[in-house]
Amino acid sequence: MKLLRKPLLLLLVIVMFIFSSCKINIGSVKNTDSSSNSDSSSSSESSSEIDSSSIEDSSSNTSTTTVKPPVSNIGIPVNQHGQLKVNGSHIVDKNNNIYQLKGLSTHGISWFPDIVTKESFKTLRDNWHVNSIRLAMYVDEYGNGSCYLNNKQVNKELMNKGIQYCIDLGMYVIIDWHVLNPGDPNKYTSDAISFFDEFAKKYNKYPNIIYEICNEPNGNVNWNTNIKPYAEKVISTIRKYDKDAIIIVGTGTWSQDIQDPVNNRLSDKNVVYALHYYAATHKQSLRDRLAQCYKAGLPVLVSEFGNCSADGNGGNDFNEAKKWLQLLDSYHIGYYNWALADKNESCCIFKPGTNLKSGNWSDSQLTESGKFIKDWYTK
């Protein structure tokens, strides 16, 4: 018996090691499975704004490819997740895992160019867990001299810098054709075609790129007559060079009318439809609209949101803001907060006078909204 003692002890150690390894592997599988359950969490009650009987079965608009559970956003985003694409109601990564874009939007880069630095974007990636930057290029704004149409070369150079910094840092980047005033995107169709022709040709090899072709259509425009025909022309231009990038298309009433494309979608399968909200103005009824559109299989991206009123000012409503973000997280819908600027407005992340270039910001330089956003993104 004494002779057998050492081999028996060795065998016992080996068995315990194998059992321990199995427990670790089983645990990681369980964690992956449980993360997929969050996609089926309960949503807001349906709104009467949409007649659910008029919404087609989403199965006809949804890819049959199996979508894997969501993955972590932490790390170097593009290196880990590669080319994104649309699959049903979700954005998925190169491995077909659901991927949630969590980004920040610049204000107009022609007005607040200082934020467009590699240092600032790196801080947002590493310390705020931001995986994407939206570069807002105001188009006209009733002839404002700083906007794109009146200062094309300077604005394109600034846009190119921002894109290159995101590529260098492995971040996703939205090239935002920021139509706002006037609100009919067709006023700028030829300019948009020329703009996206240039940028799609230049950056078509990079999986970082996302195109947003009309920020907030508004005024006397609607999806069927104005927005969809415009989008078809611009998407056709982009697809000459870039077959794979996601394209964001704005919807009517400042990108709130996401119900309009549900039964009249664009034929391009890699399109998402923009929803914009400001928490102190847009509340349960718009969340209900989102819930119904999501259930109908419409891929939605919140390419702009704020915690204050729709004019960018007024008090922040963080209670409503949490309701919004909790709903978006439960659906794994991406979102971008407005705005990376130090303008004296409630919506801005930084207090006036903050050095935007450095990226070396203390919490004392953040506004009330800025602190909330940082805390939410890093929780």
Side-chain angles (χ1 to χ4, degrees):
M1 293 297 292
K2 288 183 179 180
L3 294 174
L4 293 172
R5 188 172 297 166
K6 287 185 178 179
L8 285 172
L9 286 172
L10 180 59
L11 179 61
L12 180 60
V13 170
I14 292 171
V15 169
M16 290 177 67
F17 176 78
I18 293 171
F19 180 74
S20 175
S21 298
C22 289
K23 285 178 70 177
I24 291 170
N25 290 334
I26 291 168
S28 65
V29 171
K30 285 185 178 178
N31 288 338
T32 302
D33 288 343
S34 64
S35 65
S36 68
N37 292 336
S38 60
D39 191 42
S40 62
S41 62
S42 60
S43 65
S44 306
E45 292 182 2
S46 298
S47 169
S48 60
E49 292 178 317
I50 305 176
D51 179 2
S52 59
S53 64
S54 70
I55 298 177
E56 296 174 353
D57 187 344
S58 64
S59 61
S60 63
N61 300 304
T62 304
S63 169
T64 57
T65 307
T66 302
V67 178
K68 298 177 184 178
V71 291
S72 170
N73 288 324
I74 299 172
I76 299 178
V78 177
N79 293 13
Q80 294 178 340
H81 303 287
Q83 181 66 61
L84 304 179
K85 63 181 179 180
V86 177
N87 190 321
S89 298
H90 297 111
I91 289 173
V92 299
D93 70 4
K94 64 181 180 180
N95 299 314
N96 223 37
N97 291 308
I98 296 171
Y99 189 70
Q100 188 179 18
L101 290 161
K102 291 187 179 181
L104 296 174
S105 177
T106 69
H107 205 298
I109 56 174
S110 57
W111 300 324
F112 297 94
D114 286 358
I115 194 64
V116 185
T117 70
K118 194 171 184 178
E119 293 75 17
S120 64
F121 291 176
K122 186 176 187 298
T123 296
L124 295 170
R125 184 196 70 183
D126 295 345
N127 298 347
W128 293 49
H129 299 174
V130 168
N131 56 30
S132 181
I133 299 293
R134 180 184 188 234
L135 297 170
M137 175 75 78
Y138 275 85
V139 179
D140 187 13
E141 289 303 287
Y142 296 128
N144 185 289
S146 297
C147 294
Y148 174 76
L149 291 184
N150 293 298
N151 204 5
K152 290 184 179 180
Q153 193 56 41
V154 170
N155 280 295
K156 284 194 287 189
E157 288 174 3
L158 190 56
M159 178 66 78
N160 279 310
K161 283 183 182 179
I163 294 169
Q164 191 59 54
Y165 295 147
C166 289
I167 291 172
D168 292 343
L169 292 166
M171 301 176 75
Y172 296 99
V173 56
I174 294 177
I175 302 172
D176 169 27
W177 183 250
H178 205 81
V179 172
L180 185 59
N181 292 310
D184 185 353
N186 292 283
K187 179 175 174 60
Y188 313 105
T189 302
S190 60
D191 296 294
I193 287 172
S194 175
F195 177 86
F196 284 109
D197 184 270
E198 179 177 338
F199 280 88
K201 186 176 182 179
K202 183 171 184 177
Y203 293 108
N204 67 84
K205 292 182 173 61
Y206 295 95
N208 313 65
I209 307 301
I210 301 170
Y211 304 94
E212 185 168 11
I213 63 174
C214 51
N215 161 58
E216 289 184 350
N218 64 86
N220 190 29
V221 298
N222 63 67
W223 175 257
N224 295 338
T225 305
N226 310 100
I227 303 168
K228 187 181 180 185
Y230 162 85
E232 289 170 335
K233 294 172 186 175
V234 179
I235 290 171
S236 175
T237 297
I238 294 170
R239 292 297 185 227
K240 285 193 302 182
Y241 309 104
D242 197 330
K243 308 298 184 186
D244 302 317
I246 289 175
I247 298 174
I248 308 166
V249 182
T251 54
T253 315
W254 296 275
S255 285
Q256 293 162 52
D257 292 344
I258 53 172
Q259 77 281 3
D260 289 344
V262 168
N263 289 333
N264 188 18
R265 305 184 195 193
L266 291 155
S267 60
D268 193 288
K269 302 303 182 185
N270 228 19
V271 161
V272 294
Y273 299 88
L275 170 65
H276 292 180
Y277 74 84
Y278 282 77
T281 300
H282 309 115
K283 303 187 180 184
Q284 192 60 46
S285 62
L286 190 55
R287 287 194 293 273
D288 290 341
R289 181 183 295 177
L290 170 61
Q292 283 207 332
C293 291
Y294 174 83
K295 291 171 184 176
L298 190 76
V300 174
L301 181 70
V302 177
S303 55
E304 181 180 319
F305 79 92
N307 302 311
C308 57
S309 299
D311 63 359
N313 262 310
N316 292 295
D317 191 333
F318 294 124
N319 183 50
E320 287 292 323
K322 288 177 182 177
K323 291 179 182 178
W324 269 109
L325 293 170
Q326 287 166 350
L327 180 65
L328 295 173
D329 285 343
S330 75
Y331 289 155
H332 313 297
I333 292 174
Y335 46 79
Y336 292 72
N337 180 247
W338 179 274
L340 286 167
D342 64 340
K343 188 177 181 181
N344 188 23
E345 288 184 342
S346 303
C347 62
C348 290
I349 285 174
F350 302 102
K351 292 179 180 178
T354 299
N355 179 358
L356 301 179
K357 292 181 179 180
S358 70
N360 186 25
W361 309 302
S362 67
D363 286 353
S364 64
Q365 293 174 296
L366 305 180
T367 62
E368 187 182 40
S369 183
K371 291 175 183 176
F372 174 86
I373 290 298
K374 183 182 179 185
D375 288 346
W376 188 272
Y377 279 38
T378 57
K379 67 175 183 173

